[in-house]
Amino acid sequence: MPENIEQMEDLSSTEKDRLAQTGLEVEMKNRSGSFFQVDQDIRQAASLEKGIEVLAIGEALRKYDWLKDHYWKLVPRDKDQYTKFVADQPDPRGFVIIARKGSRTVYPLQACLFLSKTPVQHVHNLIIAEEGAELHIISGCASASYTKTGSHVGVSEFYVGKGARVTSTMIHNWGEEISVFPRSAALVEEDGVFLSNYVCMQPVRKVQMAPVAYLKGKNAIARFSSITVTTPGSYMDLGSVVHLSAEGASAELLTRAITTGGTLISRGMIEGEVGHTKGHIECKGLILRDGVIHAIPEIKGNVVDTELSHEAAVGKIARDEIEYLMSRGLDEGVATATIIRGFLDVKIAGLPDVLQKQIDAAIDAAEKSGF
Amino acid sequence: MLDIEDLHVEIGGKEVLHDINLHIGEGETHVLMGPNGSGKTTLLRAIMGFAGLTLTEGRITFKGHDITRIPLHERAKMGMGMLFQRPPTIAGLKLGKLLEVTSGGDLKKVEEYSQYLHMDNFLDRSINLGFSGGEIKRSEVLQLMIQKPDFVMLDEPESGVDLENISLIGNAIAKLVDKDVHIVNRKKSGLVITHTGYILDYLDADFGHVMCDGVFRCHGNPREILKVIKTSGYKECLACQKI
């Protein structure tokens, strides 16, 4: 076990590989800023982009008094035992990203949260995109190869200003005995766009989360996509909730889930609170080996002019699809893997290429290990 | 190329093909006609090796090898191919991705052939998802051009195809069965199901067969057979004593 991990470069190649699988660039290539936290120690917080700040949360709260208007304003401190645990920390950890009015990142900012020795890692992140700003964040969360047990509790609050665009892509690579409880919420103002992507293809003991987006401004958009493979012994309870609270607001929740023996609960909830709003939930699940995929899509309309719909399908790969590819000369295994790869191949509209490639790479890695 | 001897096929315990005998030589193209539900597609599926049907008797020999019991993909690897009348839709799997796999990564060839068949804008689309009738057939032909089978079975290649596309598809299919090669050097063989015979304008067929209720009623010149069916329908075949 390494004694001192000062920077990402100090990690052993095994750990670097584990982080690379979560989309992190240890050498910062194609990245415009970085935050690196090992257990509770913040090793790095830096931005290369003008108009964008990446700070450790403690420092940020001391530096900018106005942040208190954003701190614990979207996620309630007493939401559950995990938020209470984070709120009770005397010295908060995590990052603050502030994208000033009109600024934009050419390359994504990366946030790396690495669980090494501590039993519980806690973080609290604030992401603020002011009017017209464009911000792309990739958070890679991983545990060290030698870390067998532990928990990660993360609170994230996103503020997407007028006309701003924020994408948050989270790729997880935990261990079999790690439990993870992210608690996130986003406030999206007029013409703002919030895209949240979650990818987890590796074993984990338990992940439970249900991020919430409040679309408070006219024509605000939220899109949540989740692509997961649940392995035996893994339990994932993933949901997303969107409140359509302004005219023209729209939301889409998309899930592609595979189980190879684990349990996945896919919850989705869209509430149309005012007129001229739209929402759609799509959940597709493939059961490759006996496991559970439980889709719970919910739509709730409170007014005449809200259009909400959902579709969910869970099953196996159709025999005629496999045979179709076999008739082209692929053996059954390759035919099946090719179809699965296609099933997971979701192109997320509005996501920068470099991040789409990162998602594709995570799926490729899962494909290589034979799902 | 292909020899079928005394083949009997059951689906769900019921015999649907009875005592089928067929010989297709190297470089020959045969046409299979018959009313709907007569067993034509089932015969193609039995030759290709699809699940869901049971070969109770008989033998299929391909290029001198008994393939009666060998799996579907091995038959494809030996040089058999099939154009589906109604192929499945595979949501998510992009046509281009499949061609990349079947071409062994020869993206140049994929590009060239897809341009030829006007399918270059479909490579990024899920296979057959939202494709029109003509697009499905062009996608099928494209997949076969990449696969390059020595023996190709075509299940109603012209159905659902408009007049503009039929020549494109017809000419491409003609190449699949070596119609652009001098008869002496022609190596590839085909078995084509057609109802209309339009495809025969592009594809000179050597032999014709008529199937009714799971048996061959007639073998002969494909143009002559088609003429009879067009004027008198299949009832003439059923009444025919010439078999």
Side-chain angles (χ1 to χ4, degrees), chain A residues 256 282 284 317-347 364 367, chain B residues 45 48-52 71-74 76-77 80-84 87-94 97-98 101-102 127-128 139-140 143-144 147:
Chain A
R256 290 285 181 276
E282 179 187 304
K284 289 188 181 169
I317 304 171
R319 188 69 209 166
D320 64 338
E321 294 178 19
I322 296 173
E323 289 201 331
Y324 182 57
L325 299 197
M326 287 175 76
S327 79
R328 305 294 186 225
L330 310 187
D331 69 37
E332 187 163 354
V334 175
T336 307
T338 306
I339 294 169
I340 294 169
R341 185 66 180 75
F343 172 82
L344 294 173
D345 191 10
V346 176
K347 295 283 174 263
D364 286 341
E367 185 183 4
Chain B
R45 293 177 67 85
M48 194 73 225
F50 281 94
L72 171 60
H73 73 277
E74 283 181 23
K77 279 190 179 156
M80 241 186 220
M82 182 163 162
L83 179 144
F84 289 64
T89 295
I90 308 182
L93 179 57
K94 309 295 181 284
K97 179 74 191 172
L98 175 61
V101 176
T102 54
I127 291 171
N128 300 323
S139 152
E140 289 290 298
Q143 292 178 49
L144 288 169
Q147 194 183 340

Side-chain angles (χ1 to χ4, degrees), chain A residues 58-192:
Chain A
E59 182 196 349
L61 288 169
R62 285 189 294 276
K63 189 171 172 186
Y64 297 118
D65 191 46
W66 56 269
L67 276 178
K68 68 178 188 301
D69 299 332
H70 297 76
Y71 187 57
W72 289 115
K73 291 296 184 264
L74 291 179
V75 177
R77 285 170 196 263
D78 56 357
K79 183 184 166 86
D80 56 30
Q81 54 170 316
Y82 304 105
T83 55
K84 278 184 201 152
F85 174 78
V86 176
D88 285 345
Q89 300 301 322
D91 190 6
R93 297 296 156 144
F95 58 83
V96 173
I97 298 176
I98 303 165
R100 298 293 182 185
K101 190 174 170 178
S103 64
R104 62 187 290 263
T105 50
V106 180
Y107 292 113
L109 294 154
Q110 66 180 11
C112 164
L113 302 162
F114 194 67
L115 190 58
S116 170
K117 298 175 207 168
T118 191
V120 184
Q121 182 182 48
H122 60 85
V123 294
H124 188 157
N125 308 319
L126 285 177
I127 296 94
I128 298 162
E130 294 180 359
E131 188 177 336
E134 187 177 334
L135 194 56
H136 303 286
I137 301 160
I138 179 161
S139 329
C141 298
S143 52
S145 55
Y146 46 80
T147 306
K148 297 302 174 207
T149 62
S151 312
H152 169 91
V153 183
V155 173
S156 297
E157 298 177 281
F158 293 85
Y159 292 85
V160 183
K162 199 174 166 184
R165 188 177 187 88
V166 174
T167 77
S168 167
T169 300
M170 184 151 70
I171 303 180
H172 276 171
N173 191 6
W174 301 105
E176 282 170 23
E177 289 301 324
I178 312 271
S179 300
V180 189
F181 305 95
R183 296 291 178 262
S184 306
L187 176 74
V188 189
E189 293 183 41
E190 191 174 334
D191 294 322

